[in-house]
């Protein structure tokens, strides 16, 4: 059967996509225009155009055809390590324009505008307080106190001993259950945030609070939601599952919590708020595929034209 490439305008909006799917030890192919996942228990078809991000874990084999379909459908793909706690690579995003990337770069390159965006992020955590005059040092201290208080509250509520956030990415099994659950849950959230960021054509590495990492902006965005999503989920999992695959149970709980797509839609809206763009800006920008040449007078000129006869 011939494969019909879906036009970008026919795809679901970014904010309407469901969530993420984590896959490991499986073979992924394309059959009759849909993605299939085959493993020892059988074969499952995935409505890929409704998925935000596909997290590919160890033992995953994926065909060229499947990658082509996912790329055309605007699904983000990330290759992750064992337990889903390492990010190795990701596929191309839905957006084919650099417009928002340029906005992000301008905001992060200016100290004043960067601080304004960072303050917006902290204001979202403290909606009833005015943080507009606080320094980054004061904001970090305020956020640290909030998270410590939350950890103590969750520890008491779920009866989990809490000795601090201690984990080693190179030795996942060396941590206690609550730190394992937090790591696995947070990485799932990172995947969702990463998908929204690249789908909008933004740069994951250009963070406003975090710096020096190729996922700095992903950590910026994900930190906005941990207190209400992954932290409570991790403590719940640690209280319910004393043995077994804690990482797997954490991913399942996070997946279930994100399944309705509301958080994904919220992430997109919040990123728009942070960089100062509207709904119409997002949808219009994603539908076009402009390619121009930079010009110091006119900002941009048409691509694909021979300018050898141009007269000053």
């Amino acid at each position: 059967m011939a494969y019909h490439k879906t036009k970008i305008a026919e795809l679901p909006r970014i904010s309407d996509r469901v969530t993420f799917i984590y896959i490991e030890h499986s073979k992924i192919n394309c059959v009759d225009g849909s993605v299939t996942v085959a493993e020892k228990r059988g074969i499952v078809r995935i409505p890929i155009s409704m998925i935000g991000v596909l997290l590919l874990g160890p033992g995953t084999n994926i065909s060229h055809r499947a990658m082509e379909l996912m790329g055309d459908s605007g699904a983000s793909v990330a290759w992750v390590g064992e337990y889903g706690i390492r990010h190795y690579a990701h596929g191309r995003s839905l957006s084919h324009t650099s417009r928002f990337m340029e906005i992000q770069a301008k905001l992060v390159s200016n100290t004043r505008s960067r601080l304004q965006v960072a303050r917006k992020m902290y204001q979202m955590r403290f909606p009833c307080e005015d943080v507009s005059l606080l320094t980054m040092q004061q904001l970090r201290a305020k956020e640290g106190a909030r998270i410590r208080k939350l950890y103590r509250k969750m520890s008491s509520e779920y009866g989990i001993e809490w000795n601090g956030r201690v984990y080693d990415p190179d030795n996942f099994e060396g941590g206690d259950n609550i730190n394992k659950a937090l790591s696995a849950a947070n990485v799932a959230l990172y995947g969702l945030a990463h998908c929204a960021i690249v789908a909008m054509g933004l740069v994951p590495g250009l963070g406003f609070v975090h710096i020096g990492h190729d996922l700095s902006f992903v950590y910026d965005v994900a930190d906005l939601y941990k207190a209400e999503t992954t932290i409570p989920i991790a403590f719940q999992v640690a209280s319910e599952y004393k043995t077994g695959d804690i990482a797997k149970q954490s991913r399942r709980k996070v997946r279930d919590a994100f399944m309705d797509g509301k958080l994904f839609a919220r992430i997109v809206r919040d990123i728009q708020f942070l960089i100062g763009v509207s709904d119409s800006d997002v949808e219009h920008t994603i539908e076009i595929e402009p390619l121009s040449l930079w010009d110091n007078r006119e900002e941009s000129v048409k691509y694909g034209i021979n300018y050898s006869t141009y007269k000053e």
Side-chain angles (χ1 to χ4, degrees), residues 96-153:
H96 296 165
T97 175
S98 65
R99 182 184 170 199
F100 292 161
M101 189 185 305
E102 292 167 9
I103 293 174
Q104 180 189 15
K106 288 179 181 178
L107 289 171
V108 82
S109 300
N110 179 279
T111 301
R112 181 174 296 178
S113 60
R114 182 174 193 161
L115 180 57
Q116 289 175 343
V117 174
R119 281 173 173 159
K120 280 185 178 182
M121 291 180 174
Y122 284 106
Q123 188 66 71
M124 292 168 68
R125 293 148 158 121
F126 303 98
C128 299
E129 302 179 41
D130 182 9
V131 302
S132 62
L133 299 178
L134 297 184
T135 65
M136 287 302 297
Q137 294 77 14
Q138 291 171 324
L139 291 169
R140 285 196 298 267
K142 193 174 183 66
E143 171 67 357
R146 180 181 78 110
I147 294 301
R148 283 196 300 272
K149 182 179 179 181
L150 178 61
Y151 280 141
R152 290 195 297 268
K153 177 185 176 183

Side-chain angles (χ1 to χ4, degrees), residues 4 14-16 36 44 70 79 97 109-110 120-122 130 146 159 170 178 185 210 216 219 233 247 262 264 284:
H4 166 68
I14 298 172
S15 56
D16 292 336
T36 62
V44 176
M70 284 187 280
W79 283 262
T97 175
S109 300
N110 179 279
K120 280 185 178 182
M121 291 180 174
Y122 284 106
D130 182 9
R146 180 181 78 110
D170 295 320
I178 181 56
H210 294 83
S216 292
Y219 299 143
I233 288 173
K262 292 181 180 179
F264 197 35
H284 174 68

Side-chain angles (χ1 to χ4, degrees), residues 189-303:
L189 178 58
Y190 296 152
L192 201 64
H194 185 276
C195 175
I197 289 167
V198 298
M200 293 175 68
L202 295 166
V203 184
L206 289 184
F208 294 87
V209 176
H210 294 83
I211 61 172
H213 194 280
D214 63 343
L215 296 179
S216 292
F217 192 45
V218 174
Y219 299 143
D220 279 359
V221 173
D223 277 358
L224 300 174
Y225 315 102
K226 287 181 181 178
E228 61 188 274
T229 57
T230 56
I231 292 177
I233 288 173
F235 274 90
Q236 179 186 359
V237 169
S239 68
E240 294 177 354
Y241 301 93
K242 305 299 182 182
T243 60
D245 191 339
I246 296 297
K248 182 178 181 179
Q249 297 299 335
S250 299
R251 285 194 300 271
R252 284 181 175 176
K253 288 285 187 180
V254 172
R255 178 198 63 195
D256 293 343
F258 296 172
M259 188 62 73
D260 59 9
K262 292 181 180 179
L263 179 61
F264 197 35
R266 182 177 161 195
I267 290 174
V268 172
R269 290 195 303 270
D270 288 344
I271 292 175
Q272 291 174 221
F273 164 71
L274 291 172
I275 66 172
V277 298
S278 66
D279 280 338
S280 60
D281 288 333
V282 172
E283 297 307 322
H284 174 68
T285 302
I286 286 174
E287 288 175 3
I288 61 176
E289 297 183 29
L291 181 60
S292 305
L293 301 176
W294 177 76
D295 187 87
N296 64 327
R297 294 179 179 177
E298 302 179 39
E299 187 172 341
S300 65
V301 295
K302 290 184 178 181
Y303 166 80

